[in-house]
Amino acid sequence: SQKIEQNSEALNIQEGKTATLTCNYTNYSPAYLQWYRQDPGRGPVFLLLIRENEKEKRKERLKVTFDTTLKQSLFHITASQPADSATYLCALTGGGNKLTFGTGTQLKVEL
Amino acid sequence: DTAVSQTPKYLVTQMGNDKSIKCEQNLGHDTMYWYKQDSKKFLKIMFSYNNKELIINETVPNRFSPKSPDKAHLNLHINSLELGDSAVYFCASSQDTGHGVIQHFGDGTRLSIL
């Protein structure tokens, strides 16, 4: 069956460092991969989308890579700030309307 | 101006009751969704409607019935509530472009069954 896994343990890093979050998938051939941010008590908010034929996408301090051979996406936040603390979700779709979400990784950026 | 709004935000009720959650989007999107997020924060699709037509219907008990009166509204009615229905229910919408369907979420309805 399809499986999307993210770091189950929380990731704690120091302010100013680069946070790297991992999303691995099996039994899936996604056409698109997305990353969302979720704050406590709020709904997920879209951050970035990357297509299967793209290796890397950037937006301000965010960078996403997509390796369809390794079946993995890495999500980087450079110069991290305490305001970046949240849960980050990866989500995959084969091109239709159905998004399948990963389990999420909680990031905490400490002063 | 809230893009996707859900009501109520909190819902506490007894087992066996019937309840409804409402969702409205003002983004002009064609497609709306219901998701369930359990205590482990896993977000799972339940239903999706495109222009008032059901297009995704995952393995959900038939006690759950979605209704879309128009493409800006998608409501969720739950009959005979059970303890396992306690979760956060999120509504979302997307423009049906077929290019990755970026979704816009409401802030959830926290359902607690006593």
Side-chain angles (χ1 to χ4, degrees):
Chain A
S1 61
Q2 295 170 349
K3 214 171 178 181
I4 304 170
E5 289 182 330
Q6 300 183 242
N7 310 67
S8 56
E9 292 180 16
L11 180 63
N12 292 348
I13 64 163
Q14 222 172 3
E15 185 181 18
K17 303 287 186 190
T18 296
T20 298
L21 284 66
T22 307
C23 176
N24 294 300
Y25 59 91
T26 54
N27 298 324
Y28 210 123
S29 296
Y32 303 92
L33 188 145
Q34 303 180 27
W35 283 88
Y36 286 76
R37 169 184 173 140
Q38 187 174 19
D39 290 285
R42 305 299 299 272
V45 174
F46 170 76
L47 296 174
L48 278 168
L49 177 149
I50 187 165
R51 293 172 174 77
E52 62 178 335
N53 59 355
E54 295 177 315
K55 295 286 185 196
E56 184 179 297
K57 203 80 169 279
R58 291 175 186 257
K59 180 182 171 184
E60 296 170 355
R61 295 184 296 112
L62 309 180
K63 184 177 90 170
V64 173
T65 63
F66 193 9
D67 188 327
T68 54
T69 303
L70 289 179
K71 296 186 183 293
Q72 181 181 77
S73 174
L74 298 178
F75 177 77
H76 306 271
I77 306 174
T78 56
S80 58
Q81 305 164 1
D84 296 326
S85 299
T87 296
Y88 291 86
L89 304 163
C90 73
L92 285 75
T93 177
N97 292 80
K98 183 178 170 183
L99 260 189
T100 303
F101 280 85
T103 48
T105 297
Q106 189 176 358
L107 172 68
K108 188 172 178 184
V109 181
E110 296 163 336
L111 292 168
Chain B
D1 209 18
T2 307
V4 180
S5 58
Q6 298 179 224
T7 53
K9 191 170 174 66
Y10 300 96
L11 189 50
V12 181
T13 189
Q14 302 273 2
M15 206 163 52
N17 283 352
D18 303 338
K19 290 292 177 188
S20 291
I21 307 171
K22 296 187 175 184
C23 179
E24 176 182 2
Q25 54 96 3
N26 63 6
L27 297 167
H29 288 167
D30 295 321
T31 307
M32 296 183 73
Y33 309 80
W34 278 111
Y35 286 86
K36 179 180 181 181
Q37 189 169 48
D38 61 25
S39 55
K40 292 182 181 175
K41 307 296 183 188
F42 182 56
L43 194 61
K44 194 170 185 327
I45 181 81
M46 298 173 71
F47 303 103
S48 177
Y49 272 75
N50 177 265
N51 281 321
K52 302 194 294 175
E53 277 194 44
L54 183 65
I55 57 169
I56 296 174
N57 187 356
E58 292 294 288
T59 310
V60 177
N62 57 14
R63 298 182 294 104
F64 290 78
S65 52
K67 280 190 174 56
S68 183
D70 55 61
K71 73 175 193 176
H73 295 84
L74 180 62
N75 304 323
L76 183 65
H77 188 76
I78 316 170
N79 287 328
S80 304
L81 281 156
E82 299 178 357
L83 289 174
D85 298 332
S86 295
V88 183
Y89 293 85
F90 286 99
C91 177
S93 71
S94 70
Q95 186 58 42
D96 187 23
T97 63
H99 295 300
V101 283
I102 294 166
Q103 298 191 7
H104 300 253
F105 285 82
D107 281 335
T109 295
R110 282 141 194 84
L111 175 62
S112 298
I113 311 300
L114 304 177

